[in-house]
């Protein structure tokens, strides 16, 4: 208990804030510059502080960065991602998206909340534990991973390389207003193709228009969604959703008088624990009357509250005089695969408001970032020492 408090106190506020500013000033959206700049900066930063980080290529030009404190098994992974989404039209921003401007205790910029604030807090905690424990009894591994905002190739490569093997828990610093999030929604990204037959728009009887078939399917999804929401309520995640996100049907640019040969519908499906993805895919396929192509499958996951990692998270919050609030993650995170593929207990807990990611004028509260670093440091000591 005393060591945990010492670790929390060993977090250097100025260090964490200056690191966050530096991270936000490095654009890392993809397509675009990607994660290389952030990884190169963090790699040098950690080396200067006595750590020996190493890279892993998640995809060409898209590196993961891993750094360890201590050796052995039964350790804790501190996980965050280095990529951000595009800032969009920069003229819409009050402050430059990569300016890291501080105003009223808030730092503004793309990625400030999602999730360079959390990443800076993880690094600050790692260094604080190093100051207090030197080498902990069990290892503490920082995993700064690529492509979380895309197809999560960073965490997939991390797991496929066995880099989570031997660890017994993972803390993911996504912006969840410091709730202890034990549940994460699953996600299915689907594509359905409705075949037709081209014909002149003046003679529709000579063809087969796929648009009405696709449209009937989209409308019928709402009824299925309602049934699923009634059958699978969740107190922390909210209801499941079946959301059409793309509807395409065209015979070519400017061909407004031609019945198209195909209509495409894309769906973003969000599920909760208890839902079987295989059964859901079968119901969607039956409703559509066509095949369903699965572009991505991320299962819903949960971690039992009695797990030692959860107990350490709750105790760390109480040690610092903070409330313990349980929550759920409305989307998938890298923690989804750390739980589903590696079987690790996962706590998602980080600074930043849940609704701010991906918005114009994204911001994070600097006091909350520093506080998160203190909580992480105490948690790590409680869990490892």
């Amino acid at each position: 208990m005393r060591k945990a408090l010492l670790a929390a106190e060993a977090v250097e506020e100025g260090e964490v804030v200056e690191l966050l500013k530096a991270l936000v000033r490095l654009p890392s959206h993809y397509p675009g510059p990607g994660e290389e700049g952030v990884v190169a900066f963090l790699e040098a930063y950690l080396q200067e502080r006595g750590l020996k980080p190493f890279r892993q290529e998640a995809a060409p030009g898209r590196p993961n960065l891993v750094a360890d404190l201590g050796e052995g098994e039964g350790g804790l992974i501190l996980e965050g991602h280095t990529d951000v989404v595009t800032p969009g039209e920069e003229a819409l921003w009050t402050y430059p998206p990569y300016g890291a401007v501080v105003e009223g205790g808030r730092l503004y910029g793309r990625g400030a909340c999602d999730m360079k604030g959390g990443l800076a807090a993880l690094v600050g905690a790692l260094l604080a534990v190093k100051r207090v424990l030197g080498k902990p009894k069990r290892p503490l591994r920082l995993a700064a991973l690529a492509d979380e905002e895309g197809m999560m190739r960073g965490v997939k490569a991390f797991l496929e390389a066995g880099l989570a093997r031997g660890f017994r828990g993972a803390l993911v610093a996504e912006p969840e207003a410091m709730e202890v999030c034990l549940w994460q929604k699953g996600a299915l990204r689907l594509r359905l193709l409705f075949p037709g037959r081209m014909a002149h728009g003046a003679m529709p009887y000579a063809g087969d228009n796929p648009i009405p078939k696709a449209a009937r399917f989209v409308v019928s999804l709402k009824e299925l969604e309602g049934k699923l929401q009634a059958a699978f309520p969740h107190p922390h995640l909210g209801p499941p959703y079946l959301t059409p996100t793309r509807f395409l049907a065209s015979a070519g640019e400017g061909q407004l008088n031609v019945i198209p040969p195909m209509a495409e519908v894309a769906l973003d499906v969000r599920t909760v624990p208890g839902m079987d993805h295989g059964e859901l895919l079968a119901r969607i396929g039956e409703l559509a009357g066509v095949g369903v192509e699965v572009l991505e499958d991320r299962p819903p996951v949960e971690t039992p509250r009695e797990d030692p990692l959860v107990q350490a998270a709750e105790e760390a919050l109480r040690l610092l005089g903070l409330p313990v609030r349980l929550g759920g993650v409305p989307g998938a995170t890298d923690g989804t695969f750390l739980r589903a593929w590696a079987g690790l207990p996962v706590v998602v807990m980080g600074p930043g408001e849940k609704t701010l990611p991906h918005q114009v004028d994204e911001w994070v509260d600097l006091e909350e970032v520093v506080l998160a670093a203190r909580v992480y440091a105490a948690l790590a000591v409680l869990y490892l020492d």
Side-chain angles (χ1 to χ4, degrees):
M1 197 81 71
R2 180 175 174 274
K3 287 182 181 179
L5 283 171
L6 288 174
E9 293 167 359
V11 169
E12 295 184 1
E13 179 178 349
E15 178 181 67
V16 173
V17 171
E18 291 306 311
L19 174 58
L20 175 55
K21 289 178 181 177
L23 294 176
V24 170
R25 286 171 181 150
L26 291 166
S28 55
H29 56 274
Y30 186 88
E35 300 89 350
E36 171 61 36
V38 169
V39 167
F41 175 85
L42 270 180
E43 186 175 30
Y45 186 90
L46 294 170
Q47 287 170 344
E48 290 168 2
R49 286 153 180 81
L51 294 165
K52 297 179 180 179
F54 63 91
R55 291 182 178 221
Q56 180 210 18
E57 290 297 306
R62 306 194 70 182
N64 290 334
L65 188 70
V66 181
D68 290 337
L69 185 65
E71 300 173 345
E73 295 195 347
L76 174 66
I77 296 171
L78 304 177
E79 196 276 340
H81 62 85
T82 52
D83 61 321
V84 300
V85 298
T86 175
E89 189 177 340
E90 296 192 22
L92 297 176
W93 286 69
T94 305
Y95 306 101
Y98 296 112
V101 174
V102 176
E103 184 74 36
R106 296 176 175 180
L107 187 145
Y108 290 84
R110 174 55 81 224
C113 176
D114 187 14
M115 60 164 293
K116 289 177 177 176
L119 186 58
L122 291 177
V123 174
L126 180 71
L127 296 174
V129 173
K130 183 174 183 290
R131 293 182 190 111
V132 172
L133 296 184
K135 286 188 176 182
K137 295 177 183 177
R138 291 186 288 270
L140 191 58
R141 170 164 286 178
L142 175 70
L145 306 185
D147 193 40
E148 193 273 349
E149 299 290 3
M151 298 303 286
M152 297 187 175
R153 285 176 287 184
V155 70
K156 291 173 182 175
F158 179 84
L159 293 170
E160 287 165 353
L163 292 175
R165 199 170 296 136
F167 287 83
R168 66 183 181 123
L171 171 66
V172 178
E174 289 280 0
E176 300 295 341
M178 293 305 290
E179 288 183 353
V180 180
C181 294
L182 307 182
W183 302 270
Q184 296 184 66
K185 274 190 174 180
L188 286 163
R189 294 178 182 173
L190 310 177
R191 180 167 62 185
L192 298 90
L193 299 177
F194 294 81
R197 189 172 68 254
M198 291 178 66
H200 198 295
M203 294 171 284
Y205 50 83
D208 181 15
N209 195 335
I211 293 177
K213 292 181 284 187
R216 282 193 293 271
F217 165 70
V218 169
V219 170
S220 65
L221 275 176
K222 201 65 182 174
E223 182 180 353
L224 176 57
E225 181 184 69
K227 291 178 180 178
L228 293 171
Q229 290 177 348
F232 296 98
H234 196 283
H236 295 285
L237 293 175
Y241 292 107
L242 309 178
T243 306
T245 55
R246 185 168 63 191
F247 193 125
L248 299 174
S250 173
E253 185 74 24
Q255 297 295 304
L256 303 183
N257 61 341
V258 181
I259 290 172
M262 187 78 68
E264 175 187 344
V265 175
L267 302 180
D268 182 357
V269 177
R270 302 291 170 154
T271 60
V272 300
M275 296 180 69
D276 183 278
H277 281 195
E279 292 178 4
L280 179 56
L281 288 169
R283 292 181 72 174
I284 291 173
E286 182 180 359
L287 191 64
V290 298
V292 181
E293 181 183 0
V294 180
L295 304 177
E296 179 75 336
D297 186 344
R298 302 172 181 174
V301 294
E302 56 186 318
T303 294
R305 189 173 183 183
E306 61 270 17
D307 188 88
L309 177 61
V310 182
Q311 297 302 304
E314 295 185 6
E315 182 61 23
L317 289 165
R318 284 191 288 264
L319 273 176
L320 293 171
L322 300 172
V324 174
R325 296 176 295 118
L326 298 182
V329 182
T333 73
D334 285 339
T336 298
F337 289 103
L338 289 166
R339 181 66 175 147
W341 286 15
L344 294 178
V346 171
V347 167
V348 183
M349 178 175 64
E353 296 298 320
K354 289 175 179 276
T355 58
L356 285 176
H358 305 186
Q359 291 193 29
V360 166
D361 288 336
E362 179 183 347
W363 57 270
V364 70
D365 184 275
L366 290 176
E367 285 189 5
E368 188 179 33
V369 173
V370 174
L371 191 58
R374 299 192 192 283
V375 172
Y376 297 160
L379 184 163
V381 170
L382 289 167
Y383 193 63
L384 300 176
D385 194 53

